[in-house]
Amino acid sequence: DAGITQSPRHKVTETGTPVTLRCHQTENHRYMYWYRQDPGHGLRLIHYSYGVKDTDKGEVSDGYSVSRSKTEDFLLTLESATSSQTSVYFCAIRGGGGLDNEQFFGPGTRLTVL
Amino acid sequence: EDQVTQSPEALRLQEGESSSLNCSYTVSGLRGLFWYRQDPGKGPEFLFTLYSAGEEKEKERLKATLTKKESFLHITAPKPEDSATYLCAFSNFGNEKLTFGTGTRLTIIP
């Protein structure tokens, strides 16, 4: 258990509405990541953070923004949700203590945009 | 272009019937090759990291191996609780992301 929680776990929203997903970690990891998982695509990186207020884009960042004001929280925002953003979203942290290259995942948030 | 392909997409085995899952990759500057297990409705669970050709890692009925172009996840005498989707991924130097394959869905029939 990497001490990662995600909220909400499920959300249904309408096209055009803003949505914020939260990732919370309890073990003071520096690196945090947001991925999305879709059938036929595998997991793809949206954004990541390498410290408080330090973030960078991944391969599928269009339509998403992130913020990290505290070490323990990494927020993913869809400013105006579209149906193509219906997906399962996973947060991950990079491990430490000899597992510096490994990423550990949270339980996921299933988002449906109608 | 860096990419990873997993095969087969799905595999059904009888309990006790050993087999292997394949992960073929093309990457410049491999930092690590990772295997994860994912159960329905849950996040990926880390299994192994392999760093160089010839390396092997084992955990219970699972053994992961690595060559310069492929990684295999060998499952010996599987049990129904080994049923899951197995994902492989790699990271390369100078890049924070993991590049994932689409997974092999393994079903072990009692």
Side-chain angles (χ1 to χ4, degrees), chain B residues 38-108:
Chain B
Q38 187 173 25
D39 293 299
K42 297 192 175 181
E45 175 190 346
F46 170 75
L47 293 173
F48 303 109
T49 308
L50 301 166
Y51 290 104
S52 57
E55 189 174 1
E56 298 183 353
K57 294 271 181 76
E58 282 190 72
K59 179 181 179 180
E60 296 181 357
R61 295 175 292 282
L62 300 177
K63 183 169 78 172
T65 62
L66 184 66
T67 72
K68 288 187 177 179
K69 294 183 179 180
E70 294 175 305
S71 180
F72 292 92
L73 185 65
H74 306 279
I75 302 175
T76 302
K79 299 181 178 182
E81 54 262 42
D82 295 321
S83 297
T85 296
Y86 290 86
L87 306 172
C88 99
F90 66 77
S91 64
N92 56 358
F93 291 101
N95 197 323
E96 271 304 314
K97 73 174 183 179
L98 294 182
T99 300
F100 279 86
T102 52
T104 294
R105 187 172 66 254
L106 177 66
T107 304
I108 308 300

Side-chain angles (χ1 to χ4, degrees), chain A residues 29-43:
Chain A
H29 295 284
R30 180 182 171 195
Y31 283 82
M32 298 183 75
Y33 308 81
W34 278 107
Y35 287 84
R36 60 179 288 175
Q37 186 174 37
D38 305 287
H41 286 279
L43 286 108

Side-chain angles (χ1 to χ4, degrees), chain A:
Chain A
D1 183 359
I4 303 170
T5 57
Q6 293 185 233
S7 58
R9 294 293 314 279
H10 302 272
K11 186 169 182 69
V12 180
T13 192
E14 303 257 330
T15 296
T17 60
V19 176
T20 295
L21 308 183
R22 179 182 183 238
C23 176
H24 179 78
Q25 56 129 337
T26 59
E27 299 179 357
N28 207 35
H29 295 284
R30 180 182 171 195
Y31 283 82
M32 298 183 75
Y33 308 81
W34 278 107
Y35 287 84
R36 60 179 288 175
Q37 186 174 37
D38 305 287
H41 286 279
L43 286 108
R44 292 177 291 174
L45 182 66
I46 305 171
H47 282 280
Y48 69 95
S49 169
Y50 47 97
V52 173
K53 299 193 189 307
D54 293 322
T55 65
D56 206 347
K57 295 179 180 180
E59 61 183 311
V60 289
S61 58
D62 288 349
Y64 302 95
S65 63
V66 289
S67 65
R68 191 165 177 204
S69 59
K70 298 185 292 184
T71 299
E72 58 266 35
D73 289 326
F74 191 31
L75 304 181
L76 177 70
T77 297
L78 292 65
E79 301 290 348
S80 178
T82 68
S83 58
S84 64
Q85 294 175 312
T86 292
S87 187
V88 182
Y89 292 86
F90 290 99
C91 174
I93 57 92
R94 200 208 288 185
L99 293 171
D100 295 333
N101 292 318
E102 286 73 8
Q103 294 183 20
F104 298 87
F105 288 81
T109 294
R110 181 173 294 276
L111 176 68
T112 303
V113 183
L114 301 175

